[in-house]
Each structure stands twice: as C-alpha cells, then as structure tokens.
Amino acid sequence: MNSGPQTPFSEYLHATKYRAQHESFHEAMNRIAGALTDDRDHFLILREILEAMRFMPGGRIQAAVGAPKKVTPYNCFVSGTIEDSFLEGHGSIMARATEAAATMRMGGGIGYDFSTLRPRGAPIKKLGSSSSGPVAFMDIYNAVCKCIASSGHRRGAQMGVLRVDHPDIEEFIHVKQEEGVLEGFNLSIGITDEFMRAVRDDLPFQLRWGGEVFSEVDARALWDKIMRSTWDWAEPGVLFIDRINEMNNLYYCELIAATNPCGEQPLPPYGACLLGSFNLVQYLFMTDSGWMFNWEQFRKDIPMAVRALDRVIEVATYPLFEQEQEAKNKRRMGLGVTALANAGETLGLPYGSPEFLLFEERVLTTLRDESYHASALLAAELGSFPLYDKEKYLAGKFIKTLPKWLRDVIAKNGIRNSHLGSIAPTGTISLAADNVSSGIESVFSRSAIRTVQTFEGSGEHLIEDYAYATHGTIPVEAHEVTAEQHLLVLAKAQSLVDSAVSKTCNVPSDMPWTEFKSLYFRAWEMGCKGITTFQDGGKRKGILKKADTEGMACRLDPITGRKECE
C-alpha cells in the first residue's frame, strides 16, 4: 500500500501545511488517529484509512489534532450577530472584529452577515450624525484579515453577506470592482424567494431596514446589476437564503444568515463545522474487465470517519467560548468527497454525462445514508446532540428525503450530529493528494503551473492531473464542460447534501445573456442553495497556468478561462 503523497511537490505541500517539522506522513496519521479514537480497533482501522488517503480530514484537522501548537481544527465559522453599534455592547462592530481576529489567528475562516447594520446616510440620533453603512465598516474586518497570517501559511479567509433587500445592496454589488478593495473577502448576496418572484413576475421590490422602507426599485433592473457583476467579476455570489433556512435540519432552533468563506457551510451565529472528504480515486481497483469502484470498502469507511469527526468536537481548541457551545449543542460535521471527476472518468464516465450523473448520485446517496446511519448508531451509544427534538427533527424537509428505514432508525435511536454532509472545494488537500480533481469539480487541465503562497512569498510549480498522470485517463477539462452540465452536477449534489455545495459553473463568453441569467433561475428552481459562475473573458486572475503541450508557457485563468501564452 502506498502511504501518503507520491509526488515530490505534494509531499512538500502536505509537510509544510499539515505536519510539524521533521514529522513524517506516517507519524502525522498516527498522531491524528491516536487523538480521534478511543479504542485500539478503531485506531488501527482509522490509521489505515488515513494512510491510504481514502479519507482526508480537513486541513485544519490534520494540522491541529494531537499537535502541540494551539490552533483550531475547525476550517470555518460564522460570526456572532453584528449589532448596529460601533463600540457599545458585546455584539458591537468592534467587538465582533476582535472576535474575528481571534478566530482567524487560530486558523479559522469566518463569514459575516452585514445586513444588521443600518444603511449609509441613515441617522444616528444618539450622536447627531449619520451611518457610514455596512460596506464602509467591512473595511475594518478587511484590515484585520490582512494583518493576520494564521498558522500553517494560512491567511485569514472571510465571507461577507448582504441581503438583497438591504438599502445599500447596489454599493455592495459594485464594491470589489475596484482593484485592492476588500481583498480579504469573498462576497455573496442573500437572495430571498420574494425577490426571485418579483424578478420573475416583473414586480417592484422594496429595499428596507429596521422595519422602514427606504426605497422601491425595479426588481429586474437590480437583478441585471447583480448578473452583470458576476458575469464580469465572478462576484458577488448568490445564496438562496430562504432555501437554506427552509431545508435546514435545525429550522426549529436557529436562523441562518451567512456562510463560511467558500459557501459550502451555511451556519448560524457562532456556528462552526468540521470538514472531511473521501478521496474517491482510492476506491478504484483494476479487474480483467477494467476499472471498478469498491463500494463495499466505501461503505465500511464512512462510519469510521463519522466517529472520528465526532471525536474532534471533544478534543478541539476553540477560539471563542460561544463557538464551543454552539459546536457541542449541535455537533455539526460536513463529510464530502473529492476526486469525483477523476474517479468517474477513470471508470469511463465523461464529466457531466448522464452516466456520470448516475455515478455521482450513487456516491452521494451512499455517503448520505451511511453517514446518517452511523450517526444514529453513535447516538444509541453516546446520546443525541443536546438540541435534538425527535418530532421536529424528523419533520425537517431534508430528513424527509431519507429512506424510511433510515428515518425509523433515527426515530428509535436519535442522532448524534445535526448535519452530516458538505461538499467543500478541497483545493489544498486535493493538491496534497497528488493533485486529484477538487471536490465535485471537473479537471481544470491535464497539466498546469500552480502559484502557491507561503510566508516567504509565492512560487510556481508544474503539476499534472492525478488520473491523467497515474492512469492515463483523458479528462473533460473545465472549459469543455457545458454550463448545463455544470448545473446538473451542482443540483444533483445539493439534493443529496444537508448543508451546501461548493461548485463552479464555467460559462463561455459567447453565451447568450438571457441564457446566462436563466442559469441562476434554474438553480433556484432546482433546489440549489447557491450558485457561482465564471465566464470565459471575465476580469479576475487565478492561481493556475495551463502548461502547453509543446512547451509554451500559457496562463489559463481558472476563474475566467482566458488563455494568454508567452
């Protein structure tokens, strides 16, 4: 059995990101397995899974668990509610900025809902002045982020969310179109069902805050501004915030207004989530008739991962007491997959094809059912999460999509973890696993030059796609996948995941404008919780360069798809 990364660059990356100085991969997996198991049998099984890289815990878990340095194993958090006060009170703008600093300093990314702040120009009666508005206050958080280089060469990551009905929404849409502004943020708009219906039916739409209507706008004109910005700049992203709350397993005890920096984890105030991904190429095996997928091994591994991530909640270091309370009251985790494209295409299923979608469905259905089953069995042993309410939980809209046998097990035993699934981008852990395809994304390129950031600066490295280099698999590259295929892969995943999905839908620059906008409407109608698009010809830079087969160095921006050769 191969243990750990096999290519020099991936070994270097894993060592510098996730391991102590002079710690081998075997020693790191020994450390992680030792900290996340409570008996020898589980230890031996989990260590073998980790060493084979069939399951890869989130990068923060790999760096933090069992290590002497004081960092958090949680990849992502959401801020406490930001109160409409600059200095006064526990939840003031500055108090939340201080909490954000503590969170990022220990390795956690963080998301915020800025919709709670009064709009620009609104009066502040106590001071006899007027508000600067949420976009201006975001500069404070951006400055904090820029000053913090968290451990493991990981700089602070942030998500800023503003509701579409906030009076400052137009300023928010355009703010990052100027170079150097809010570079520490990803931005997303919380899109309501009310707004989508107003756009569909060509109705006026009210912008309001604090119970007061500030103005009434043309919904379709506002929608066009959002679409133009995401077409040109790939931001802001779109979160269907009502869908997020409607499908939330904990609809009965929390309200979600923001997500983690990459959008795959909608979280309540002080929410946190543990991430981990199954590396699907490690379940492939060769037979006389070709490559096959080891479904039996996949099913056996899932309960081991559930038990291990549940254990993280107990051994974790938390930046804030409120985050610890939130985590232990709900025991969220986010199990996902990576290398879906590599695995499917090695099996002969081109990315986005009907056959590929059936493979995706089987993978994610297996992961959903086995993880929920494992959590229910764990509840019988250790108890359900403290805020579990049997009647209300089983009435949840996502829970009702589970098969009856599984709902019966939950009804009998309870459930240990409120949420079990999440499709994360898995960028660095996938690269450290010999550059397998990230998450459920298509392969970017057979070979590429990647820019990697460290404390010492940036460096470029030539890397090859795992399946292409190892198995000779010819991938469908990202720019060859149609927008329709991207959307179908996204929607299929979202229907089987209780949290959310990080997925990029690449679109060509000659795509008709009405067709581009309809992509977002279709995502809403198909039950997606959000959507991100990148179009060929946009204005953003990326971290990958496509390596030309004839040796010419070509830059292919993974965000825009634009190719520039030297």
Side-chain angles (χ1 to χ4, degrees), residues 483-542:
E484 174 72 10
Q485 288 172 323
H486 279 300
L487 180 59
L488 291 174
V489 171
L490 168 64
K492 177 61 67 178
Q494 187 59 84
S495 70
L496 296 165
V497 172
D498 55 21
S499 287
V501 176
S502 177
K503 169 82 182 84
T504 300
C505 297
N506 294 80
V507 298
S509 60
D510 59 357
M511 186 178 195
W513 180 239
T514 54
E515 189 177 328
F516 175 73
K517 291 194 294 183
S518 73
L519 196 67
Y520 281 74
F521 252 94
R522 290 193 60 216
W524 176 57
E525 292 168 345
M526 294 170 74
C528 298
K529 295 179 180 178
I531 178 172
T532 301
T533 58
F534 297 119
Q535 66 92 0
D536 177 8
K539 300 177 181 178
R540 279 284 161 86
K541 301 294 183 182

Side-chain angles (χ1 to χ4, degrees), residues 142-219:
N142 191 62
V144 169
C145 182
K146 287 170 67 175
C147 290
I148 294 175
S150 58
S151 58
H153 304 279
R154 178 182 170 89
R155 295 203 174 273
Q158 301 180 109
M159 170 68 82
V161 178
L162 197 73
R163 284 175 60 95
V164 71
D165 53 14
H166 192 282
D168 286 358
I169 190 61
E170 291 190 45
E171 182 183 4
F172 185 80
I173 291 167
H174 299 297
V175 66
K176 282 189 69 175
Q177 294 176 10
E178 183 180 340
E179 188 175 351
V181 175
L182 298 183
E183 290 183 325
F185 273 100
N186 293 327
L187 300 183
S188 287
I189 298 175
I191 300 287
T192 63
D193 288 346
E194 177 193 9
F195 177 72
M196 295 300 286
R197 289 191 292 266
V199 175
R200 181 191 63 196
D201 300 335
D202 196 16
L203 299 173
F205 183 71
Q206 293 180 341
L207 302 184
R208 50 190 181 263
W209 188 88
E212 177 185 350
V213 176
F214 278 68
S215 63
E216 191 170 82
V217 299
D218 183 315

Side-chain angles (χ1 to χ4, degrees), residues 433-447:
D434 298 319
N435 195 36
V436 297
S437 58
S438 302
I440 61 169
E441 300 286 6
S442 55
V443 172
F444 167 66
S445 174
R446 299 178 196 177
S447 58

Side-chain angles (χ1 to χ4, degrees), residues 14-24 27 31 67-69:
H14 194 278
T16 55
K17 291 282 187 180
Y18 307 135
R19 283 143 52 186
Q21 191 174 12
H22 307 305
E23 185 180 40
S24 69
E27 289 167 337
R31 161 175 59 82
K69 58 185 178 180

